[in-house]
Amino acid sequence: MLPFPRTTLTDLRRKLLDHELSSAELVQQYAQRMQQVNPALKAFISWDTERALLSARQADLSLPLGGLPIAVKDNICCLGEPARCASRMLENFVAPYDATAIAKLRIAGAIPFGRTNMDEFAMGSTGENSAFGPTLNPIDENCVPGGSSSGSAAAVAAGIIPAALGSDTGGSVRQPASHCGVVGLKPTYGRISRYGLVAFASSLDQIGTITTCVQDAALLLQALCGYDPLDSTSSKQPVPDFSAELSRGVQGMRIGLPKEYVSSGNAPEVQTALYSAAKALESQGADICEISLPHTEAAVASYYIIACAEASSNLARYDGVRYGYRVEHSPDNTGDIYARSRTLGFGDEVKRRIILGTYVLSGGYYEAYYARAQRVRALVARDFNQAFSSRIQLILGPVAPTPAPKLQAQDMTPLQVYLADIYTVPANLAGLPAISVPVPQASLPIGVQLLAPHYEEARMLRGAEVLEKTLA
Ligand code: GLN
């Protein structure tokens, strides 16, 4: 499809400052694009052009993101706009406040514009679990765009918005970015406030960015980071000037390539992309070293137990009484309201996870599953600590074992879909920052991933920019 050329935030900003066009014209232009391609693409599930135009007319262009429209995943609250998490359960919910990330975007001058489609409650890897129907991959409409931030990645890839926010609990920013050929960044856990991000698995959830280039990722990240007293897990670490750190290259950097990530289970084009990335980094003076992350194989099991356990608790609030969709007929008793509202309000994948999560937390099974998964999580984190304390500065790996699967790949069981998260969930379990960068190729897009120690996003961005420039 690829109907429109992609434009970077940096270029758009220059055009606005040069008065080549106004912010309102820019919003109009993107609104028109949405109207044209969204009925087929389904990257957005709602947008409010009037509201965006109002902000555009008041935009302060001197601010870092002054007058630039940014799309927002449907699980991040924007005051006065729907935040439905692509679920029937929240079909009538209108956010009564701004998430801190959105407030920060506004402070930086940006215009939140459009709610992007997603897997329901961010549970999924294809975008197909949306109550609004699946988003298509703009590079090949027979394929999924990845998920759960499916709409954010597809919209940026199709040029119908210059950048978007997503959320990454187990890879949902990086994996769709990889499948759509754009840049997806998940910062260190705690870097961006989760206040106003609808909770899926609170110990893993982070807001992240989807952009067309690494420089834009740095620009957007800058606006979003910083301590927030409204999120008890928000970090007080100082926030460096990410853009200023770019262009410093990777000369002399030791970059680890985990042997567990170079696996025969990867599609050949994924292996090729990984080797080209390693070569590109090496050509710019990095030292690529083989390392081992021995608990990689157990990461997916640990992730799905922990994520489902936390989801079952977080989603208990949607009972049709306190929150969420409520059945119309007056049921016999309160239990009936809960049961019928949840049965109709949630889709299959969400129900599967609530059941799994409730099971692993129940008396008698807690030790065997949940407590054990937490111990595995600690081991996964220890693998990374050991690698980074042996003078490894970044880790290179694939994002997903295959390129984007076909839509409705019915031969895939839920377990097979879960297993494809093997390279993305470790960063969430360990709370590490990670970025997915496209490796240009003739066929479907493939991204590679760089992981950095906690709070070393600046270093990670340097590596990512080298990849982007050298591979171009
Ligand atoms: N694919 C993973 C899952 O389904 C990741 C989801 C996410 O990061 N939100 O849980």
Side-chain angles (χ1 to χ4, degrees), residues 73 75 118-119 121-126 129 147-149 167-176 186 200-201 204-206 303-304 307-308 349 353 417-418 420-421 424-425 428:
K73 190 175 179 178
N75 60 349
M118 55 185 281
D119 286 297
F121 283 100
M123 298 177 189
S125 320
T126 65
N129 298 336
S148 65
S149 308
S167 68
D168 193 312
T169 303
S172 281
V173 160
R174 291 162 284 153
Q175 184 256 29
K186 175 199 103 69
F200 159 17
L204 301 156
D205 297 340
Q206 259 302 278
Y303 167 82
Y304 274 93
C308 292
E349 182 61 25
R353 296 195 189 202
V417 176
Y418 296 171
D421 290 340
T424 49
V425 297
N428 301 78

Side-chain angles (χ1 to χ4, degrees), residues 123-427:
M123 298 177 189
S125 320
T126 65
E128 294 172 300
N129 298 336
S130 164
F132 296 83
T135 305
L136 307 186
N137 187 322
I139 316 294
D140 178 344
E141 290 169 40
N142 298 311
C143 293
V144 302
S148 65
S149 308
S150 47
S152 292
V156 174
I160 50 176
I161 202 77
L165 299 190
S167 68
D168 193 312
T169 303
S172 281
V173 160
R174 291 162 284 153
Q175 184 256 29
S178 170
H179 286 345
C180 291
V182 289
V183 174
L185 182 152
K186 175 199 103 69
T188 310
Y189 184 79
R191 260 293 193 213
I192 298 179
S193 167
R194 289 182 297 109
Y195 179 73
L197 165 68
V198 178
F200 159 17
S202 313
S203 77
L204 301 156
D205 297 340
Q206 259 302 278
I207 290 175
T209 62
I210 297 184
T211 54
T212 58
C213 67
V214 174
Q215 194 181 14
D216 283 359
L219 194 66
L220 202 47
L221 184 67
Q222 197 76 50
L224 295 165
C225 288
Y227 174 67
D228 178 14
L230 298 172
D231 170 2
S232 62
T233 60
S234 171
S235 162
K236 286 189 174 153
Q237 282 283 325
V239 181
D241 182 339
F242 298 115
S243 301
E245 294 281 319
L246 288 176
S247 315
R248 284 186 49 212
V250 292
Q251 181 68 45
M253 242 191 226
R254 276 166 63 94
I255 301 181
L257 183 58
K259 59 174 193 241
E260 293 79 4
Y261 286 16
V262 189
S263 136
S264 55
N266 293 343
E269 53 270 54
V270 171
Q271 296 281 73
T272 310
L274 191 57
Y275 289 128
S276 332
K279 257 198 220 120
L281 291 164
E282 218 160 32
S283 75
Q284 298 305 305
D287 187 7
I288 305 286
C289 324
E290 187 187 272
I291 59 165
S292 176
L293 300 171
H295 297 94
T296 300
E297 221 191 318
V300 171
S302 161
Y303 167 82
Y304 274 93
I305 289 173
I306 293 168
C308 292
E310 292 185 23
S312 74
S313 161
N314 276 326
L315 271 60
R317 72 190 74 176
Y318 306 108
D319 56 13
V321 176
R322 287 173 303 167
Y323 290 98
Y325 171 83
R326 179 171 185 163
V327 278
E328 271 172 20
H329 316 290
S330 61
D332 307 335
N333 57 50
T334 327
D336 206 38
I337 301 182
Y338 295 162
R340 296 210 284 150
S341 301
R342 286 166 72 81
T343 303
L344 292 173
F346 289 133
D348 287 349
E349 182 61 25
V350 173
K351 282 187 262 199
R352 181 179 297 123
R353 296 195 189 202
I354 292 174
I355 292 169
L356 198 88
T358 309
Y359 180 82
V360 300
L361 289 176
S362 56
Y365 295 104
Y366 181 93
E367 253 312 305
Y369 294 107
Y370 183 73
R372 190 177 291 183
Q374 289 290 14
R375 285 197 289 276
V376 172
R377 179 179 192 168
L379 293 173
V380 170
R382 200 182 64 183
D383 285 353
F384 284 115
N385 279 343
Q386 278 171 350
F388 287 131
S389 59
S390 64
R391 292 183 34 242
I392 290 294
Q393 288 163 296
L394 290 175
I395 291 175
L396 171 69
V399 180
T402 66
K406 294 258 181 277
L407 275 154
Q408 294 175 321
Q410 270 133 354
D411 47 335
M412 300 264 279
T413 63
L415 184 61
Q416 283 169 321
V417 176
Y418 296 171
L419 287 171
D421 290 340
I422 178 153
Y423 302 125
T424 49
V425 297

